[in-house]
Each structure stands twice: as structure tokens, then as C-alpha cells.
Amino acid sequence: MKRYWMLCIAAVMLLPGCNTDTETTETGNIRQAEKDTASIAAGAPEAAAADTILQAVVHLTLTASGNSLEEMRYDQDTLEAKAGALIKLKLINEAEDMTMVHNVVFTAPGKYKMVALAGEQLGASGNYVPDTTTVIASSPIALPGQTVEVEFTAPLKPGNYEFVCTYPEHWRRMHGVFKVK
């Protein structure tokens, strides 16, 4: 009989350790552990109510090429998207020369030169992108041979916005129009 009670006490003490849905905190409190989101989503009523409003997505690719200030350029001088669209832009830097570092910065109409010059003044510590309301979006710096991506929402107001590489002196040859319709 004594052995029976010892077994029961041991079983009761081990039971909390067998439960995979709870965990004991340092203070000894038991709290609910995170569950697998897939299993929750499968049976959750919220999963049945799908989002009926989908934002248009525009996938764009812009390639920077050239191994000197005279050769460098974007492969396109015009990019287009619908107003309010989600833009997923891939910037491919095909250059091989280590001085051919590029980015792409989208600006308000007529502001690409101002933004590029402010980026030059800011320097590498700010990724050559000034903190100003005239900047709509910017990519990370793409080193030679590197591809970077940026996601942003196109302006809601249609118009001819601009894009530019703000690395020092690149703005003179690397800029274009971002048409929002």
C-alpha cells in the first residue's frame, strides 16, 4: 500500500512536465505556450474570413551597369505603376568595378537633383539618402555584383515622380521618371 501511494505521488509530480501546451516560468506560474500557427489557422473561424481587398502588386526590375562614370547607367529611364500599388523593386548591380556602388531613390516630382545632392552631403553613414519628405522610398546600397530589393507603396496621387542613384556624382547619369497612373 505504501508503494502504491509513492507511485501516485510521483505520477502527480511528473504530470505537469508531460504537458506540452504549458510551460513553467521562473516564478513557478504556469502559462499557455505558443501553439503552431498552422494548426490554429486550420480550425480558427478567422481563417475562413479571407481578405477581400487585395492591393495591386507591381514587380519591377532595374539594372545598373557600367564600370566607369562615363559608362554607368540604369537600363530603363521610365518605370510605371498604378497609384497606390505595392511596388516590389529589384535593383541589380551588374558592375564589376568596386567604385560602382548604386542605389535607387524615388522622389517627388522635380526633386531628384536636390535629393541626390543632399545624399552626397550626408555620405555613407546615412546610405546617401537624406531624411526628407521628398523621398518616397529608397533601396539599400548595392555593391558590384549584388542585387537588393525594396518594397513600397506608390503615391496615391498620379503624376511623374522621379528616381535617382544618390551615390556621389552618379545622379548626373542615373536618373529617370516614375510614372504613377
Side-chain angles (χ1 to χ4, degrees), residues 9-180:
I9 290 171
V12 169
M13 291 177 74
L14 291 175
L15 265 173
C18 294
N19 187 351
T20 58
D21 285 346
T22 61
E23 85 179 59
T24 304
T25 63
E26 288 180 16
T27 60
N29 297 330
I30 296 176
R31 64 183 163 109
Q32 189 69 29
E34 290 182 38
K35 295 190 184 258
D36 184 319
T37 55
S39 64
I40 291 173
E46 293 86 19
D51 187 4
T52 57
I53 302 174
L54 297 176
Q55 185 178 21
V57 178
V58 177
H59 295 273
L60 299 173
T61 300
L62 188 63
T63 302
S65 61
N67 286 304
S68 69
L69 288 173
E70 295 78 31
E71 295 175 352
M72 69 180 179
R73 65 180 185 83
Y74 288 130
D75 67 331
Q76 301 172 68
D77 62 3
T78 304
L79 298 172
E80 293 183 8
K82 289 185 178 181
L86 175 63
I87 308 298
K88 292 187 176 190
L89 180 123
K90 185 184 297 186
L91 173 64
I92 303 168
N93 185 351
E94 291 183 342
E96 296 172 359
D97 187 284
M98 289 310 292
T99 62
M100 293 292 108
V101 174
H102 301 297
N103 67 0
V104 61
V105 179
F106 292 84
T107 72
K111 302 295 181 183
Y112 84 89
K113 182 178 177 181
M114 180 192 78
V115 167
L117 293 174
E120 282 184 11
Q121 291 293 317
L122 183 61
S125 63
N127 287 326
Y128 304 99
V129 181
D131 184 16
T132 173
T133 58
T134 57
V135 172
I136 297 166
S138 64
S139 75
I141 294 289
L143 300 174
Q146 190 177 33
T147 297
V148 296
E149 295 180 357
V150 61
E151 288 185 16
F152 65 97
T153 301
L156 296 174
K157 183 180 176 186
N160 289 331
Y161 297 82
E162 296 170 314
F163 63 91
V164 61
C165 177
T166 58
Y167 192 79
E169 295 299 313
H170 290 197
W171 65 270
R172 296 177 189 275
R173 295 185 48 89
M174 298 183 76
H175 57 88
V177 177
F178 177 46
K179 291 185 178 185
V180 176

